[in-house]
Amino acid sequence: MEIQKLTVNDFEPAMALSEYAFQVVMSDEQKEKRRSQFSSQDIWGVYENGQLGAKLHIIPFQTYIHGRSFEMGGIAGVATWPEYRRKGWVAGLLKHALEEMNRNKQSISFLHPFSFGFYRKYGWETYVEFKRYKVPTAHLPSKKATPGTIRRGDPGLSTLKEVYSAYAERYNGTLVRDDARWENSVLVNGTSQKAVYYDEADVAQGYLLYEVKENKFTIKEIIYLNEEARQGLWTFIANHDSMIQEVTLQAPASDTLAFQLDNPRIQQEIVPYFMARIVSVEQFISQYPFASQDSPVQIVLQVEDTHAQWNEGVWQLNVAMNGTASIWKTSEPITDDQTIKVDIQALTAVLMGYRRPTEMARIGRIYGPEAAIKALEQAIPVRETYLLDFF
């Protein structure tokens, strides 16, 4: 198996593989857009007899975790021609990708799995889900007068970015969106209608990206920074009641829309979405903002990671009173009554905030003395995961 980095000269065979594997046919315009983005991605392929047989893309992103920006490697475009499958090529590409991301200091990685079980074998774990709603018009929230105003039309990218960033920082695992992300993915082709809620001081506090078509109001993004903006945006949506039969949207898994309706019997679905993986335990934890403590905390972690040997081993984690952390591998003898044993999947789920240490201990995903697990529980801030994007 020969792994090579793809260049723009490999664009055509790479796109042919993508179209076949993902069962899509791209227009010339779509292909040219992909071509322009090709060089900004780290793309690796497996060749046999000079032919591209499998590939994988590493897209450079940043993600918010507890309000801090982390470098993240987004795995996408994983594909193999059928005649080359069952040869372990994707496994080789994933291992190579981990080495590349570690070298590039991308301490965390996300991907959208075709199979959660498949990627768990290589250290990724579910980190986020969302709630999908279908709301009949008769069930929409009651219209409420708010002191602000709604303005339709294009408010300018800077306004959307400011509101989004303030919202996204409240969650773990949202993307830090640069202008290219907005223009090439979020606002692609200008198909979405836009509406912004401004408060009495004329400050944007929320926005909608949506479409009204065939009696359906499809919300692509609904972002609000406070309850006033939420009510204002939903009143705007409800004012379309003569034009539509239902509203569809997705929201954080903890969203309480149904509870706030007069008739909460609406269609709700919890959808497992993306997976995450800590690429480098040392890099990730060193920049991780733990909760402030009354006194310094010392925790010993025995990490299992068969696909990234630099993570495997026993780590001494020290959390200072202000929440800053230091971590290093230790060769000193450690007894079971001092150590939390955890694989990289469970450690990722816990530090991303998707699952709590005590819960993971209860279901047998981490092991250790009760006092140590309780200390880890108290050290990890509580924050929900969410992701609005797809890649």
Side-chain angles (χ1 to χ4, degrees):
M1 182 176 68
E2 180 186 1
I3 296 179
Q4 297 180 17
K5 187 171 184 178
L6 274 61
T7 70
V8 69
N9 294 328
D10 302 297
F11 175 78
E12 293 297 340
M15 285 303 99
L17 176 51
S18 287
E19 286 186 312
Y20 187 92
F22 302 116
Q23 302 174 53
V24 297
V25 177
M26 286 180 263
S27 66
D28 291 342
E29 182 181 353
Q30 289 172 322
K31 285 185 178 181
E32 284 309 306
K33 182 179 178 180
R34 292 287 185 94
R35 188 189 299 272
S36 68
Q37 298 170 352
F38 202 74
S39 59
S40 67
Q41 300 178 9
D42 200 7
I43 307 173
W44 296 88
V46 178
Y47 285 82
E48 185 172 87
N49 299 323
Q51 299 296 314
L52 177 66
K55 69 176 180 66
L56 173 151
H57 299 225
I58 308 173
I59 309 174
F61 288 113
Q62 292 179 320
T63 183
Y64 292 111
I65 299 176
H66 297 299
R68 186 171 295 179
S69 175
F70 283 63
E71 297 296 324
M72 186 270 284
I75 301 296
V78 182
T80 310
W81 288 109
E83 60 267 31
Y84 295 122
R85 290 174 186 165
R86 309 297 185 269
K87 292 187 174 186
W89 287 6
V90 168
L93 282 170
L94 289 170
K95 187 176 187 301
H96 184 80
L98 287 170
E99 294 168 352
E100 287 296 314
M101 290 187 289
N102 187 44
R103 189 162 28 249
N104 293 329
K105 299 190 181 305
Q106 294 164 319
S107 63
I108 188 79
S109 173
F110 295 169
L111 60 79
H112 184 263
F114 78 94
S115 164
F116 285 83
F118 177 85
Y119 284 105
R120 279 193 175 114
K121 293 186 298 184
Y122 302 102
W124 277 263
E125 184 53 273
T126 311
Y127 93 86
V128 66
E129 56 201 15
F130 63 82
K131 187 177 289 186
R132 178 182 289 149
Y133 290 113
K134 183 180 290 186
V135 188
T137 304
H139 292 237
L140 288 174
S142 301
K143 300 171 186 177
K144 296 183 180 179
T146 54
T149 57
I150 288 277
R151 296 179 201 159
R152 286 185 306 103
D154 190 351
L157 184 55
S158 61
T159 297
L160 298 178
K161 285 175 61 178
E162 184 175 354
V163 175
Y164 169 82
S165 296
Y167 179 85
E169 287 178 3
R170 299 176 179 180
Y171 296 92
N172 288 346
T174 47
L175 293 191
V176 179
R177 291 176 176 171
D178 58 15
D179 287 0
R181 182 70 191 171
W182 279 98
E183 293 165 359
N184 296 326
S185 297
V186 183
L187 304 177
V188 61
N189 298 328
T191 55
S192 293
Q193 299 280 344
K194 306 175 187 68
V196 177
Y197 182 86
Y198 295 86
D199 63 17
E200 285 185 291
D202 205 35
V203 176
Q205 298 291 348
Y207 70 77
L208 275 173
L209 303 180
Y210 68 97
E211 287 184 353
V212 181
K213 187 177 181 181
E214 297 177 351
N215 299 318
K216 293 183 181 180
F217 193 110
T218 302
I219 298 175
K220 297 189 174 181
E221 288 189 7
I222 178 167
I223 303 292
Y224 46 84
L225 303 183
N226 51 46
E227 179 61 15
E228 177 189 318
R230 189 194 73 83
Q231 292 180 358
L233 290 170
W234 271 108
T235 297
F236 173 77
I237 295 166
N239 283 336
H240 291 75
D241 53 1
S242 64
M243 302 167 56
I244 60 175
Q245 295 176 354
E246 67 180 25
V247 176
T248 59
L249 70 148
Q250 73 177 53
S254 66
D255 188 75
T256 59
L257 172 64
F259 179 74
Q260 299 178 74
L261 299 179
D262 292 337
N263 185 346
R265 287 179 173 168
I266 59 173
Q267 182 175 317
Q268 303 178 60
E269 179 185 11
I270 297 295
V271 182
Y273 194 31
F274 264 65
M275 303 180 83
R277 190 205 205 280
I278 293 174
V279 175
S280 168
V281 168
E282 183 176 19
Q283 291 176 20
F284 186 79
I285 290 182
S286 294
Q287 59 182 320
Y288 189 90
F290 287 89
S292 298
Q293 306 290 314
D294 293 334
S295 59
V297 175
Q298 295 183 341
I299 299 171
V300 179
L301 298 173
Q302 183 175 333
V303 178
E304 176 187 334
D305 189 349
T306 56
H307 295 282
Q309 291 297 317
W310 54 88
N311 291 330
E312 184 102 8
V314 179
W315 296 86
Q316 178 69 54
L317 167 62
N318 286 5
V319 180
M321 293 174 64
N322 65 358
T324 59
S326 58
I327 186 169
W328 64 91
K329 274 189 177 180
T330 178
S331 57
E332 297 180 7
I334 302 295
T335 61
D336 285 348
D337 62 354
Q338 298 174 298
T339 307
I340 295 176
K341 297 179 180 180
V342 60
D343 60 31
I344 197 67
Q345 297 96 322
L347 185 63
T348 299
V350 163
L351 291 179
M352 285 299 297
Y354 181 65
R355 290 289 180 258
R356 301 299 297 174
T358 52
E359 175 193 18
M360 295 291 273
R362 186 176 67 252
I363 63 176
R365 290 297 306 276
I366 66 176
Y367 303 90
E370 184 178 348
I373 291 173
K374 182 178 179 181
L376 184 61
E377 177 92 16
Q378 293 175 342
I380 297 175
V382 175
R383 187 169 296 203
E384 186 177 5
T385 58
Y386 190 41
L387 179 63
L388 296 93
D389 292 82
F390 179 87
F391 57 83

